[in-house]
Amino acid sequence: MHESNSSREICPEIDKLFNKRYELCANEVFNLPSADCMFVGPPWKIKALQDLKNTLNGIKNSLNDVELQSWHSHTNKMNPAGEIQWHLRTTINPELLTQAWCKFYENVSSFPLIPQSCLDSGILTSVHLCEAPGAFITSLNHYLQLNHPKINWTWTASTMNPHYEGNLLTLMINDDRLILHTADHWYFGEDNTGDVMSLKNLEGLVKRGKTMLVTADGSISCLDRPAEQELVVAHLHYCEVIAALSILADGGSFLLKIFTIFEHQTVCLMYLLRCCFDRVILNKPATSKEGNSEVYVICLGFRGQERVQEHLKVLRGCYESGPTAPIFQREDLPEVFVSEITQASKFFMELQCEVIKRNVATFAEKDSVNNLRADVVKHFLDIYGIEWIGEEKEIVGKSKLEIFKYQIMGRKSQGSFNDRKRKAHMQEKLRLKAAQMDVRTVLAEGEFSFHLPNDPGPLKIILGKPFEKVLSSRFCESIILGHLSFCFEQINGRRLKCEFPHVKPKNRFLEEMQKENKRVYSFGYSPAVDPNLIRKVNEIVESIEEGQTIILLEYSLLTQLNLGILYLLGHAFEKLVIQLRQDLGSVVTLNNARKPDKVREAFREIIEAFETAKANNKVIVSIFPITKLCASELNPYLLTINHAVIKHIIDHLYTINYLSWVRKEN
């Protein structure tokens, strides 16, 4: 920890901001109840904690009709630590700087998260759960470069895989800049989803060996259930704790983000941790927004696997489903611990309520705290001693991260809580109209030509958990993909007529191509995954003749697999052309086949992997590294192509079905 040399007097408000921490039972030693006593009793509540919960929710309810973006803007202005991140960016410019970066730097600087044994040996291993986009990792690197530059550090990270198209967008952070440059450090589990709540993925993580530091920064959106944030994330926190206890070495440290501690689920987790570590401290960093419930649990001095081995066997039994009964019975928790948890909960709840009340009181006046914010920046830099380290000491380097920067157009949540509840029940035809409005400015037509070299390079076939529908895509903006999914849900649910491309322009196009002796293959637009795609394309590959031109209609480019297959196919032809058309969506033309033997050979390898995957209840997720696809000639145009196709589908649906809905209602 950096020691301040400043004698400058600290005002009470700043001192309070940087000392929001509570150590649980510092002078007590607790032992876990017998493993046989776990998950055996009915749910229980602690009245004092429920009273605190009701008080907090009562104050939060005053925000139900407040427009969210205006509120966020106001609270950002009122945040005393609001200028720290801006100041770091303009003066030090750290690698992958985010608010999470700042919060981790505070935690690692304020507490001995790096065990003394690691400092003595000069070797540190760390595992980072729910880590995307990777700010904890780059923050830890910055801290080590300044404070322990000679330490030999190796790290592994796990997160919901932003490149696995079966993952829900709402469960992921899709900023993949660090992931693309450090792919070998990321473990996405046995099923390639990156889901930390999968037992097989946990077992795979355990096989990778013990570690001295684990961080877990996971969360789940609770915008629609703000009064039950703790319950929404309870299962995730359970899995993060069990994972950490399963992979930590003796003497290791654990950093966990939680929220409130009102329910038995979190109380029991805190007791489990307090029994397994020498010290457990709750800390709210200065750079954590004062008005939220976020608190970091600092666990120091892991007492070893032997202490918890029998309990872990029982705990893993509820890993995927989540516990239905409390981990411990109420009577198994010492009263001194319950008293401490209650005091800690009250301490953080009162701090949060005080801030919310202040922000509500000043919302109309648009008050500010500019002088205090400047003093907070000075104090932050003074006590943590952050300095510039140079790109050569960064993990990847800030300039390199920008190469694969993923431009996300996703909008922040808008409207108040009550507004969002009303919109959830919006009539389907109005939602379709809203979808059409969102894509109205999308470029609808154009043509893109590519000349690919004859050799596509080696394959890297990745298998993963089967999924039926494309829920996310690196090659499509999230809101537009969401509109496509909604449209097809309406089609399937209402049995509406949807034929895109329409039969007439499609037949007309097929007749024209037949006259030109060009072979056309149709695939069909849908968010659904085609399980026979690989076999279909393999048949095409086997039938290719030199000099031939083939055309793919309704070929989706939303997934790594589809893009990889087209990329591979393109290397067997002189030119690849993708044309955007309002009547057909996209038309993919592969001109003048040239020595397709290498592509045929590659497809034999793909077919073999396809059969292996099928036998093991898996699917092929990709055939080339995501880095190759992102660096390919096609990548800069994929958003444009996918957005245009979806725009044409939505416009077609609206034209065909919206008016029919109106006629039916009238």
Side-chain angles (χ1 to χ4, degrees), residues 498-558:
C498 175
E499 192 174 359
F500 183 80
H502 195 271
V503 63
K504 288 183 179 179
K506 183 176 178 179
N507 285 340
R508 189 163 52 246
F509 179 79
L510 292 174
E511 290 172 4
E512 291 172 3
M513 294 303 100
Q514 189 174 15
K515 291 176 183 177
E516 298 178 18
N517 198 29
K518 294 177 181 177
R519 194 174 298 176
V520 181
Y521 300 91
S522 294
F523 291 84
Y525 289 126
S526 170
V529 175
D530 184 355
N532 297 311
L533 173 70
I534 289 174
R535 283 183 173 150
K536 288 179 182 176
V537 179
N538 186 56
E539 291 175 5
I540 297 173
V541 171
E542 292 295 334
S543 66
I544 293 174
E545 300 173 1
E546 284 202 42
Q548 186 180 42
T549 292
I550 67 172
I551 295 172
L552 311 182
L553 277 185
E554 307 159 72
Y555 187 83
S556 172
L557 288 174
L558 290 173

Side-chain angles (χ1 to χ4, degrees), residues 114-176:
I114 300 173
Q116 186 60 45
S117 61
C118 295
L119 299 179
D120 294 339
S121 67
I123 298 173
L124 172 66
T125 56
S126 64
V127 172
H128 306 271
L129 306 175
C130 304
E131 174 58 16
F136 274 22
I137 295 165
T138 57
S139 182
L140 176 55
N141 176 68
H142 201 108
Y143 174 82
L144 292 174
Q145 293 295 338
L146 287 179
N147 296 277
H148 308 288
K150 294 183 179 180
I151 202 164
N152 183 0
W153 172 47
T154 57
W155 60 271
T156 299
S158 179
T159 200
M160 290 295 283
N161 187 352
H163 305 140
Y164 175 80
E165 291 94 1
N167 281 338
L168 281 166
L169 286 162
T170 53
L171 299 180
M172 294 189 300
I173 302 294
N174 48 10
D175 181 345
D176 60 358

Side-chain angles (χ1 to χ4, degrees), residues 470-524:
V470 178
L471 300 176
S472 59
S473 171
R474 195 188 193 278
F475 314 116
C476 182
E477 201 277 318
S478 59
I479 292 174
I480 294 179
L481 180 61
H483 288 327
L484 179 69
S485 297
F486 165 74
C487 289
F488 275 90
E489 286 170 8
Q490 294 306 307
I491 293 161
N492 297 331
R494 289 173 168 265
R495 298 181 181 177
L496 299 172
K497 182 180 180 182
C498 175
E499 192 174 359
F500 183 80
H502 195 271
V503 63
K504 288 183 179 179
K506 183 176 178 179
N507 285 340
R508 189 163 52 246
F509 179 79
L510 292 174
E511 290 172 4
E512 291 172 3
M513 294 303 100
Q514 189 174 15
K515 291 176 183 177
E516 298 178 18
N517 198 29
K518 294 177 181 177
R519 194 174 298 176
V520 181
Y521 300 91
S522 294
F523 291 84

Side-chain angles (χ1 to χ4, degrees), residues 44-144:
W44 48 262
K45 294 181 181 293
I46 296 174
K47 184 180 183 304
L49 294 177
Q50 291 301 305
D51 290 343
L52 294 175
K53 176 182 178 180
N54 293 334
T55 299
L56 177 59
N57 283 336
I59 293 174
K60 283 183 176 181
N61 286 341
S62 65
L63 306 176
N64 282 353
D65 287 310
V66 175
E67 201 280 323
L68 203 58
Q69 280 196 322
S70 297
W71 178 251
H72 282 165
S73 176
H74 174 64
T75 56
N76 285 337
K77 291 176 182 177
M78 294 298 296
N79 179 10
E83 291 188 11
I84 288 175
Q85 189 174 325
W86 173 84
H87 186 85
L88 291 176
R89 179 170 285 110
T90 54
T91 58
I92 297 170
N93 199 22
E95 185 180 26
L96 202 63
L97 176 66
T98 66
Q99 194 169 21
W101 192 102
C102 300
K103 291 183 291 188
F104 181 83
Y105 207 98
E106 285 196 69
N107 280 317
V108 74
S109 298
S110 302
F111 305 97
L113 278 168
I114 300 173
Q116 186 60 45
S117 61
C118 295
L119 299 179
D120 294 339
S121 67
I123 298 173
L124 172 66
T125 56
S126 64
V127 172
H128 306 271
L129 306 175
C130 304
E131 174 58 16
F136 274 22
I137 295 165
T138 57
S139 182
L140 176 55
N141 176 68
H142 201 108
Y143 174 82
L144 292 174

Side-chain angles (χ1 to χ4, degrees), residues 118 124 170 195 238 278 310 362 413 446 477 508 561 629 655:
C118 295
L124 172 66
T170 53
D195 185 3
Y238 177 88
D278 293 334
E310 291 303 314
T362 57
S413 297
E477 201 277 318
R508 189 163 52 246
L561 178 61
L629 297 179
T655 302

Side-chain angles (χ1 to χ4, degrees), residues 15 37 49 112 163 194 227 248 299 352 380 386 445 450 495 540 593:
D15 186 56
C37 298
L49 294 177
H163 305 140
L248 271 173
C299 304
Q352 185 179 359
F380 181 92
I386 304 179
E445 296 185 1
F450 309 95
R495 298 181 181 177
I540 297 173

Side-chain angles (χ1 to χ4, degrees), residues 443 445-450 575-580 587 637:
L443 177 67
E445 296 185 1
E447 185 174 290
F448 309 95
S449 297
F450 309 95
K575 186 166 70 168
L576 165 63
V577 179
I578 302 177
Q579 183 185 23
L580 300 177
V587 178
Y637 309 100

